[in-house]
Amino acid sequence: MDNNAAPEPFSPGESQASRAAQKAAWRQQLIDQRQRMDDRIWRSEQLQRVMRVWLISRPDAVIGAYWPIKGEFDPLPALFRWQEAGREEDAKGAARHRRIGLPVVNKVDKTLTFYTWYPGCPMEEDAYGIPKPKDTEIIQPTLLFVPCVGYAPGGYRLGYGGGFYDRTLAALRPKPFTVGLGFTDGFLPDLEPEPHDVPLDAILNDNGVVWPLT
C-alpha cells in the first residue's frame, strides 16, 4: 500500500461489517502515514500556533487534552503557554486560575475521567501503557481537545475504535465544547457518519480551522 495515497472511499450499499473493515484500514493507513511524516516538526509548530490563536477568544478555565501516542500531535506545549498566560492575567486580578486535565480510563464503564496535569507532575502508566497523572485532582473540563486519527466534513472524527470519547461525552453534564486536533493528511472526505456518531464542535489542523466552515 502506498502510505501517501488517498484512502479508498466507501462503496454504495456496503454492509456494516464492510464499513467497519474500511474504517480499520483507514486507521492503519493514517497511523502509519502519521508516524512516518518527514515534516512533523514544522506541522506541529504550525498547529501549535493555530491552537494558541484559537484559544485567545475562549473563556474556558479548565481544559481537557490527551497524552500523544502513535505519532499524534502534542497539544500540551500550547496548553502550558495558555496556562502561563492565565497566571500573568491572575497577577493583574483579571482571570481565573487555568487548569489542564489528562484522561484516565475507567475500567468498569470504559469512560474517561480527567485528572489535573502540569509539567513535572507525578505520572504513571494506565492499563493501556499511556502515561497519566498520579494522585492529582479530578476536574471537569468545559473544553475538550480530542485527538483525530482522521476527520471528515461536518465535524466527524475517526478515532481508534474504542468508543471512549463517545461514552464520555454522552455521560458528561454539562457537555464540554469539543475540538478535534489532527494533521492535514488526516482529512477523509469520504468518511460517512453512522447514526451514533456525534460531530465535534470544531476541528483544527496545521492549516487552521477546518470546522466549522466560515
Side-chain angles (χ1 to χ4, degrees), residues 37-51:
M37 286 170 50
D38 293 331
D39 55 354
R40 173 184 307 283
I41 293 176
W42 181 82
R43 287 180 182 270
S44 295
E45 289 174 349
Q46 293 298 107
L47 186 42
Q48 293 280 349
R49 293 189 184 98
V50 171
M51 269 187 73

Side-chain angles (χ1 to χ4, degrees), residues 12-25:
E14 278 186 307
S15 67
Q16 185 66 28
S18 61
R19 282 176 178 255
Q22 176 65 85
K23 284 186 175 182

Side-chain angles (χ1 to χ4, degrees), residues 194-209:
E194 299 185 59
H196 63 272
D197 289 333
V198 178
L200 298 163
D201 295 304
I203 298 176
L204 312 180
N205 71 12
D206 40 296
N207 279 343
V209 179

Side-chain angles (χ1 to χ4, degrees), residues 91-114:
K92 302 174 184 177
R96 293 172 294 170
H97 178 57
R98 294 176 175 178
R99 291 179 290 173
I100 303 166
L102 292 183
V104 176
V105 176
N106 183 319
K107 295 180 182 179
V108 177
D109 61 11
K110 304 298 184 183
T111 60
L112 304 173
T113 301
F114 290 84

Side-chain angles (χ1 to χ4, degrees), residues 115-172:
Y115 285 75
T116 300
W117 173 86
Y118 52 89
C121 81
M123 303 288 285
E124 62 184 356
E125 289 190 352
D126 67 10
Y128 299 90
I130 301 172
K132 65 177 184 178
K134 181 180 180 181
D135 302 326
T136 60
E137 180 186 1
I138 294 176
I139 58 176
Q140 183 162 330
T142 60
L143 170 64
L144 184 58
F145 283 110
V146 182
C148 295
V149 176
Y151 52 92
Y156 291 98
R157 164 185 177 265
L158 178 70
Y160 293 104
F164 295 111
Y165 281 98
D166 291 335
R167 286 187 292 271
T168 300
L169 293 173
L172 285 177

